[in-house]
């Protein structure tokens, strides 16, 4: 049976879809058969970041409505074996997803895949609740700013009270914190919360810190998950986060400002 992971946040624009693309790619690179699902019905960005937008014929809603099967709908990634994408519909609204329909699709996928990554819409509305409902684990993505962290705290409340595991009194969803767009220089200036500040507020395990990096935007525009850019800090940070998720011990990098040549030479 597959492990179902929801990538979620309260605030939009924090990097959920970038994280879903990078994380699912990392899991597949590690040898795990993985599918990533776009729950953002009506908007649909995951296929763009994964570079497969021209290959979308059927979508998640078509499968739920019985208009296509998973074999017709799943898109196999051309770069990474074991990686598949289930795109969202761009022409329906979020009411097209039903709890029963989502459950049936996840059940069918669970027979074939090791991991199912659910790319949630922002907030706590219907699409986000459905993305989280069946989850076994959650990656809570937040930026180091007060409003983003506050909204993430609200999402943690949803995960502990309005999911299948909560309703059945089962073991709670395992929660992981992923801090994105982190700039040590701005933290030092007091313009951002520190890793310690965010950890103290949310009180969940830190999975990774993704540095603020132009490579994220460049990768998204090129339709390539940033984890495949091994020359970039962000790509390396995502690879570290996947390794930690899979049980490997890795130190957290990119928590302090990089020094230039003169800074290293003179220790300042």
């Amino acid at each position: 049976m597959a492990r179902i992971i929801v990538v979620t946040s309260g605030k939009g624009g924090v990097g959920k879809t970038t994280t879903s693309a990078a994380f699912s790619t990392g899991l597949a690179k590690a040898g795990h058969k993985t599918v990533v699902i776009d729950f953002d019905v009506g908007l649909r960005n995951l296929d763009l970041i994964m570079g497969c937008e021209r290959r979308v014929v059927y979508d998640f809603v078509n499968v739920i409505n019985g208009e296509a099967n998973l074999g017709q709908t799943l898109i196999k990634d051309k770069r990474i074996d074991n990686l598949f994408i289930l795109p969202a519909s761009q022409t329906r609204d979020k009411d097209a997803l039903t709890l029963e329909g989502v459950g049936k699709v996840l059940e069918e996928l669970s027979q074939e895949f090791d991991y199912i990554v659910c790319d949630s819409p922002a907030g706590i509305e219907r699409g986000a609740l459905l993305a989280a409902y069946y989850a076994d684990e959650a990656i809570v993505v937040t930026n180091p700013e007060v409003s983003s962290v506050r909204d993430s705290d609200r999402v943690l409340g949803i995960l502990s009270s309005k999911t299948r595991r909560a309703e059945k009194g089962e073991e709670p969803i395992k929660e992981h914190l992923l801090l994105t767009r982190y700039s040590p220089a701005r933290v030092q200036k007091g313009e951002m919360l520190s890793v310690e500040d965010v950890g103290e507020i949310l009180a969940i395990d830190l999975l990774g810190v993704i540095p603020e990096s132009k490579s994220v935007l460049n990768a998204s525009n090129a339709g390539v998950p940033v984890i495949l850019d091994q020359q970039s800090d962000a790509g390396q940070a995502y690879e570290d986060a996947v390794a930690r998720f899979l049980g490997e011990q890795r130190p957290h990098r990119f928590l302090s400002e990089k020094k230039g040549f003169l800074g290293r030479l003179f220790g300042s």
Side-chain angles (χ1 to χ4, degrees), residues 70-112:
L70 283 171
Q72 294 173 287
T73 309
L74 288 173
I75 300 171
K76 188 178 188 303
D77 191 87
K78 290 183 175 180
R79 296 160 297 217
I80 306 294
D81 287 338
N82 295 324
L83 180 59
F84 293 79
I85 300 96
L86 180 55
S89 171
Q90 221 171 5
T91 58
R92 313 287 182 100
D93 60 36
K94 288 178 171 55
D95 291 335
L97 296 181
T98 65
L99 190 63
E100 182 184 27
V102 170
K104 284 183 177 179
V105 172
L106 292 176
E107 178 65 29
E108 188 174 345
L109 289 170
S110 290
Q111 307 305 314
E112 185 180 351

Side-chain angles (χ1 to χ4, degrees), residues 111-138:
Q111 307 305 314
E112 185 180 351
F113 289 90
D114 301 318
Y115 288 101
I116 299 170
V117 177
C118 302
D119 180 26
S120 171
I124 54 173
E125 296 180 359
R126 181 176 179 81
L129 293 174
L130 288 173
Y133 184 78
Y134 293 98
D136 300 307
E137 307 205 32

Side-chain angles (χ1 to χ4, degrees), residues 38-231:
D38 191 346
F39 272 79
D40 207 353
V41 174
L43 293 178
R44 198 176 88 189
N45 288 312
L46 179 66
D47 55 306
L48 289 170
I49 290 180
M50 299 294 288
C52 63
E53 69 277 8
R54 294 181 182 176
R55 298 168 61 198
V56 176
V57 178
Y58 295 109
D59 58 54
F60 194 8
V61 174
N62 292 137
V63 178
I64 287 176
N65 291 344
E67 298 158 352
N69 60 44
L70 283 171
Q72 294 173 287
T73 309
L74 288 173
I75 300 171
K76 188 178 188 303
D77 191 87
K78 290 183 175 180
R79 296 160 297 217
I80 306 294
D81 287 338
N82 295 324
L83 180 59
F84 293 79
I85 300 96
L86 180 55
S89 171
Q90 221 171 5
T91 58
R92 313 287 182 100
D93 60 36
K94 288 178 171 55
D95 291 335
L97 296 181
T98 65
L99 190 63
E100 182 184 27
V102 170
K104 284 183 177 179
V105 172
L106 292 176
E107 178 65 29
E108 188 174 345
L109 289 170
S110 290
Q111 307 305 314
E112 185 180 351
F113 289 90
D114 301 318
Y115 288 101
I116 299 170
V117 177
C118 302
D119 180 26
S120 171
I124 54 173
E125 296 180 359
R126 181 176 179 81
L129 293 174
L130 288 173
Y133 184 78
Y134 293 98
D136 300 307
E137 307 205 32
I139 298 173
V140 180
V141 183
T142 187
N143 293 157
E145 57 180 54
V146 172
S147 62
S148 181
V149 175
R150 180 193 60 192
D151 289 349
S152 292
D153 203 20
R154 195 172 179 196
V155 166
L156 291 174
I158 298 294
L159 293 172
S160 66
S161 61
K162 291 191 175 183
T163 58
R164 180 176 61 174
R165 284 176 172 268
E167 289 176 1
K168 292 188 173 183
E170 296 176 352
E171 184 180 346
I173 290 173
K174 188 173 182 180
E175 299 158 342
H176 309 270
L177 172 62
L178 191 79
L179 194 55
T180 55
R181 295 179 182 161
Y182 192 75
S183 169
R186 294 182 64 190
V187 170
Q188 284 189 344
K189 293 176 183 176
E191 297 173 358
M192 280 184 173
L193 298 175
S194 69
V195 172
E196 293 75 19
D197 291 334
V198 177
E200 188 174 324
I201 295 167
L202 297 181
I204 59 175
D205 291 338
L206 179 65
L207 182 64
V209 177
I210 312 300
E212 200 167 43
S213 173
K214 291 181 180 178
S215 63
V216 173
L217 179 60
N218 293 340
S220 296
N221 288 338
V224 178
V226 71
I227 196 170
L228 296 179
D229 180 3
Q230 283 300 291
Q231 302 305 309

